[in-house]
Amino acid sequence: MASATSTIFVASVLGVLLYNARLASATPSPSVSDTLFRTSNVTGGPVDEIKCYALPYGAIGIFSHLLTFWTIAWMSVGKTPLWPFFEMKTYKFDMFLACAALCTCIPIASITMHRCRLSWHFLLICIWKLVTSVSLACITLHRCWIIRKEGNPSHGRKDTELQRLGGYQAAQTYESYNNGMYAHNDSRSDLPSPAAQFRNNPYGSSPSAQNNSRSGIFSRDELTNNNSKPRDTAPLWWLVLYLSGTIVGMVGLCSLLWTTFRKDATIRHLTYGFGAVLAIIPILVAIFWYVHHLEMSEQGKRGFLLAVWQTLSGSFVAFVAVFGVFSSLYSDLVLGSIANNLFGMPSDDFAPLYWAWFIAKRVPLLSL
């Protein structure tokens, strides 16, 4: 689902860009929106064009992105972002938070995109930031759906669990009584009644006895023990959508820097550092896997192919992860350098939009 959504998104963006390519330099006709939302002069280069950009950048943007990555990381594995020692157990409140973030970020991003409509570089960067917020909200909603699904298992799933614990056949009914245990409701006369079972063993059967008997009594802890169940990391697939938006945004950022790269030493140094990180970390990962396979006793063609596969795949995954994380941080530093505002404090004309966006993106951090 996530991969299909990201594919449709990228195709739509490219289609819109190709359709409007010849109109990119045309002067728009005056409209009511030009009066409501002032558009900066796009002929003055990046320094003037960035005045339309009303989203966080600079040091504040970096802090915002780090909090976003923190939230995504813990949300993907079902932990509460504010206190990762606890599992996420609620879904209604978390769904409300995700929807509130979406309903706030989408209008703010739309206004910013309208302000920057004469500069396609910043338009793509705005799309990038919007996709990041949408990806975070989708991960939150997906996790809520998983929590809801696990909290309301189907009847067949209960039968499977009971069958695993006590050796029962499925399609039986179970009734609870006062001692908190579960009894098998069967019409067979050779089975003792629940009251007789309770008198014989008021604390329930031991795990080993339950596995070898057909009494049908299970402790509530055993029925709800899911510690051995593998964690569902399906929400991570929404990162495909995030990476798609990152590619679109980096296209706009690189085109923005095309004319200023040689003139601005700060941007050159930031770009060199970004490129070094993109190269060094995947190389280190490749070296790790290569050395790891050298120490293994398995040799021959199969061992060689396995070493090549894990070395290449590990370095590729590392490159994608580094690109996804450091691209956002790099863009914040570059935009801060262009605006001569590395801290990223907004001007008075769009400060409400700026801080509203910053707060709205923090809302999923409160998920329980």
Side-chain angles (χ1 to χ4, degrees):
M1 179 180 178
S3 59
T5 304
S6 60
T7 303
I8 295 174
F9 166 76
V10 174
S12 302
V13 171
L14 293 178
V16 172
L17 290 178
L18 292 176
Y19 180 76
N20 294 279
R22 65 184 184 86
L23 301 177
S25 60
T27 303
S29 57
S31 61
V32 177
S33 61
D34 294 325
T35 305
L36 297 177
F37 306 106
R38 293 179 298 172
T39 303
S40 61
N41 182 13
V42 298
T43 60
V47 176
D48 283 342
E49 292 178 5
I50 199 173
K51 294 178 181 179
C52 70
Y53 189 74
L55 303 181
Y57 59 87
I60 297 177
I62 291 177
F63 180 65
S64 176
H65 277 115
L66 291 178
L67 290 178
T68 299
F69 297 146
W70 174 272
T71 306
I72 289 176
W74 291 115
M75 194 85 67
S76 300
V77 296
K79 300 287 187 177
T80 56
L82 278 181
W83 195 250
F85 298 101
F86 293 98
E87 299 280 346
M88 294 180 63
K89 296 182 179 179
T90 63
Y91 65 91
K92 292 183 179 180
F93 179 69
D94 298 344
M95 290 179 66
F96 168 76
L97 294 179
C99 293
L102 278 178
C103 293
T104 306
C105 290
I106 291 178
I108 295 176
S110 301
I111 294 174
T112 304
M113 291 165 63
H114 181 84
R115 286 165 51 96
C116 297
R117 68 190 185 279
L118 301 183
S119 175
W120 70 275
H121 320 284
F122 285 98
L123 182 61
L124 293 184
I125 295 174
C126 291
I127 293 175
W128 176 13
K129 306 307 178 183
L130 175 60
V131 171
T132 301
S133 299
V134 172
S135 301
L136 174 59
C138 289
I139 289 175
T140 305
L141 292 174
H142 196 158
R143 176 56 60 186
C144 293
W145 180 79
I146 292 175
I147 294 174
R148 181 179 181 274
K149 182 180 178 181
E150 292 178 348
N152 297 278
S154 63
H155 181 71
R157 182 176 174 181
K158 290 182 179 179
D159 287 336
T160 302
E161 181 69 12
L162 292 170
Q163 189 175 11
R164 181 182 67 82
L165 291 173
Y168 268 110
Q169 296 181 354
Q172 303 289 344
T173 58
Y174 299 88
E175 297 178 353
S176 60
Y177 48 93
N178 294 333
N179 67 333
M181 317 301 287
Y182 285 84
H184 176 216
N185 185 14
D186 201 326
S187 60
R188 290 169 50 183
S189 59
D190 57 338
L191 291 177
S193 64
Q197 290 177 341
F198 179 72
R199 287 194 299 269
N200 294 333
N201 190 356
Y203 298 101
S205 304
S206 63
S208 59
Q210 291 176 7
N211 291 335
N212 298 324
S213 68
R214 297 176 60 86
S215 62
I217 298 181
F218 306 101
S219 66
R220 188 180 300 273
D221 292 337
E222 289 176 333
L223 290 176
T224 58
N225 184 16
N226 294 323
N227 293 332
S228 60
K229 181 181 177 181
R231 195 177 301 277
D232 191 347
T233 57
L236 287 174
W237 283 105
W238 288 105
L239 293 180
V240 177
L241 177 63
Y242 167 76
L243 289 174
S244 303
T246 302
I247 294 173
V248 172
M250 285 299 291
V251 170
L253 184 65
C254 292
S255 63
L256 180 67
L257 301 180
W258 182 259
T259 58
T260 59
F261 181 80
R262 295 183 178 181
K263 301 177 182 178
D264 195 325
T266 302
I267 291 180
R268 285 202 306 272
H269 296 158
L270 291 174
T271 305
Y272 294 152
F274 175 64
V277 172
L278 281 181
I280 291 175
I281 294 182
I283 290 175
L284 292 178
V285 173
I287 293 175
F288 167 79
W289 283 111
Y290 181 76
V291 174
H292 173 72
H293 281 280
L294 284 180
E295 297 175 352
M296 296 177 62
S297 59
E298 184 179 5
Q299 301 294 334
K301 182 178 180 180
R302 182 177 180 276
F304 173 76
L305 293 178
L306 182 62
V308 171
W309 165 252
Q310 291 195 354
T311 300
L312 294 179
S313 60
S315 59
F316 175 76
V317 172
F319 175 82
V320 172
V322 171
F323 176 77
V325 173
F326 283 89
S327 293
S328 300
L329 309 183
Y330 169 69
S331 67
D332 291 327
L333 290 174
V334 167
L335 294 178
S337 177
I338 292 176
N340 293 321
N341 184 8
L342 288 177
F343 190 73
M345 289 299 296
S347 59
D348 294 336
D349 59 339
F350 61 84
L353 296 176
Y354 187 99
W355 293 115
W357 173 276
F358 181 86
I359 295 173
K361 285 193 67 176
R362 306 286 74 79
V363 169
L365 190 65
L366 304 176
S367 298
L368 303 176

